Amino acid sequence: MTNEASVHADDHSHDGDHSHSHAPVQQEGHPSYYEIMEIAVRELLVEKKLLGPGEIRRQIEVLDSRTPALGAKVVAKAWVDAAFKARLLENGRTACEEFGISFYDDTQLIVLENTEKIHNVIVCTLCSCYPRALLGLPPDWYKLKPYRARTVSEPRVVLAEFGTVIPDDVEVRVSDSTAMVRYLVLPLRPSGTEALTEEELAALVTRDAMIGVIMVKGPNEKEAP
Amino acid sequence: MRPESTENPASAAKVVFAEREIPIFRAGDIVRVAERSPVGHYRVPTYLRGKIGVVEAVIEPPGIDNEDESFGRNAGIKLHYYRVSFPMKSIWENYEDSSKDALHIEVFETWLQKEKP
């Protein structure tokens, strides 16, 4: 691994203000038990020709190309196009495929529509099932035990920790994805957005709103402290 | 093709469905989650064992039992998954928040039994 500090010195002059660190990017400390296991299994699979290294890199590229921006496009279109929204709620996977978003496995996608009466939030208590084909990799907190255990048993407390308070007369509906189905929350369209284009609407939709831990904020609303 | 019942509308072709093509539960059925403790991989969370819920929807098409699939047994019979809802208050004794709150989850056919209302 090259020493970043020495490469950096050759790259450009040091005339201007220099506020970033020159510490080299290095692996610190000993790899963990699971890191060692992952490296060992991967290298064995390649050595035994069960997988090619190119296949592994390709799958990383597949997942890197999936981001919340794709989900946001789908949400924005559902907000402006009632017929698309109906198709999306009927079959999430085929509606996403209309956008050219391929699903590389056998999972189905169920889109959960938030309404004035129902607020949806998704979790996987067993592991970290998540609509990766659409949104890419889940955030770390989604994969860790506190979220996975508490969202099914005290969802409102968890939501409040994200700054989301749902009134008592609105159902908080927790979906535990343990089977072959993945979920996407279709958030409520915020008020005051009637004049926005589909692209402008998509820019409002964030990953956490499609998991259901926050609501989508309108263009003039401030972030919760 | 969604074989949702044994009766076909008059205009549809009259065919006999294979036994496992037809879901055994329908939306609205009251079901109880089994209380087995299987050795090895399981998908139905322990917090729902023995709980009573309502079938919200039948998931189509029939799917492989994901507990068997994890052991490499991915051929053979397929059955249905059902989306089942459970009121939060029925799962957790001490649930203090809104009585409207519910949990929804997909459960494989082999884990559910019909419960009399």
Side-chain angles (χ1 to χ4, degrees):
Chain A
M1 163 146 8
T2 53
N3 181 316
E4 198 203 37
S6 62
V7 169
H8 188 71
D10 292 336
D11 263 352
H12 61 259
S13 74
H14 285 216
D15 290 333
D17 172 51
H18 227 84
S19 52
H20 57 270
S21 158
H22 280 215
V25 177
Q26 281 176 348
Q27 181 143 23
E28 305 276 325
H30 194 69
S32 73
Y33 173 82
Y34 289 108
E35 283 173 312
I36 295 173
M37 187 188 292
E38 183 270 319
I39 294 168
V41 170
R42 171 167 37 90
E43 290 183 351
L44 272 172
L45 288 171
V46 171
E47 190 183 300
K48 295 197 179 289
K49 304 201 191 311
L50 291 166
L51 280 182
E55 286 180 71
I56 296 172
R57 185 181 57 246
R58 177 59 177 251
Q59 192 60 20
I60 293 172
E61 288 167 6
V62 168
L63 274 177
D64 279 351
S65 75
R66 314 303 170 107
T67 72
L70 294 176
K73 276 200 175 73
V74 172
V75 167
K77 177 148 185 175
W79 283 345
V80 305
D81 182 339
F84 176 76
K85 177 167 137 173
R87 293 198 297 280
L88 185 68
L89 296 178
E90 171 68 28
N91 187 326
R93 177 171 173 153
T94 53
C96 288
E97 285 166 347
E98 287 180 34
F99 271 88
I101 301 167
S102 67
F103 276 57
Y104 44 78
D105 58 18
D106 288 338
T107 56
Q108 308 269 20
L109 182 72
I110 291 182
V111 178
L112 306 171
E113 184 189 13
N114 280 358
T115 67
E116 304 293 336
K117 289 277 142 232
I118 300 169
H119 180 88
N120 289 285
V121 58
I122 62 181
V123 65
C124 176
T125 52
L126 281 186
C127 45
S128 65
C129 300
Y130 183 81
R132 284 173 175 78
L134 179 63
L135 299 184
L137 294 178
D140 279 350
W141 54 259
Y142 183 88
K143 299 190 278 191
L144 293 175
K145 282 186 180 166
Y147 181 78
R148 287 160 45 209
R150 297 176 59 217
T151 304
V152 289
S153 57
E154 46 178 27
R156 288 175 184 265
V157 179
V158 172
L159 289 175
E161 289 170 11
F162 281 94
T164 304
V165 178
I166 305 292
D168 276 351
D169 63 339
V170 174
E171 175 188 341
V172 168
R173 183 175 290 179
V174 181
S175 288
D176 188 352
S177 33
T178 68
M180 298 234 289
V181 178
R182 302 290 176 266
Y183 297 110
L184 179 80
V185 174
L186 176 59
L188 273 174
R189 178 175 179 169
S191 55
T193 58
E194 294 73 19
L196 297 186
T197 64
E198 206 172 311
E199 241 181 85
E200 288 166 334
L201 287 170
L204 299 176
V205 182
T206 58
R207 176 200 66 195
D208 289 0
M210 292 183 280
I211 296 172
V213 292
I214 62 169
M215 303 179 73
V216 176
K217 297 185 178 17
N220 300 318
E221 290 175 58
K222 289 191 194 246
E223 278 298 320
Chain B
M1 159 82 89
R2 287 164 171 262
E4 296 203 350
S5 72
T6 52
E7 294 162 30
N8 298 315
S11 56
K14 295 237 181 256
V15 299
V16 175
F17 290 106
E19 267 185 13
R20 296 187 187 99
E21 274 189 282
I22 301 175
I24 61 176
F25 304 113
R26 304 174 182 209
D29 283 354
I30 300 174
V31 291
R32 177 191 286 270
V33 176
E35 289 194 67
R36 305 198 285 274
S37 296
V39 173
H41 184 62
Y42 62 82
R43 294 286 195 140
V44 176
T46 52
Y47 69 83
L48 287 178
R49 305 286 167 82
K51 298 291 188 241
I52 296 174
V54 176
V55 175
E56 295 290 329
V58 180
I59 310 286
E60 291 286 358
I64 294 166
D65 182 342
N66 50 17
E67 290 171 2
D68 277 345
E69 191 186 19
S70 63
F71 290 101
R73 297 192 285 266
N74 56 5
I77 58 159
K78 288 184 175 179
L79 294 172
H80 285 88
Y81 286 88
Y82 301 87
R83 187 167 162 83
V84 183
S85 68
F86 301 85
M88 280 292 186
K89 283 197 188 274
S90 76
I91 305 174
W92 312 108
E93 255 174 28
N94 301 322
Y95 193 78
E96 281 165 7
D97 289 320
S98 172
S99 56
K100 286 190 180 294
D101 294 348
L103 183 117
H104 287 218
I105 185 172
E106 275 71 47
V107 184
F108 196 63
E109 200 167 290
T110 53
W111 276 91
L112 298 173
Q113 301 143 19
K114 204 151 183 179
E115 181 80 3
K116 298 218 187 329

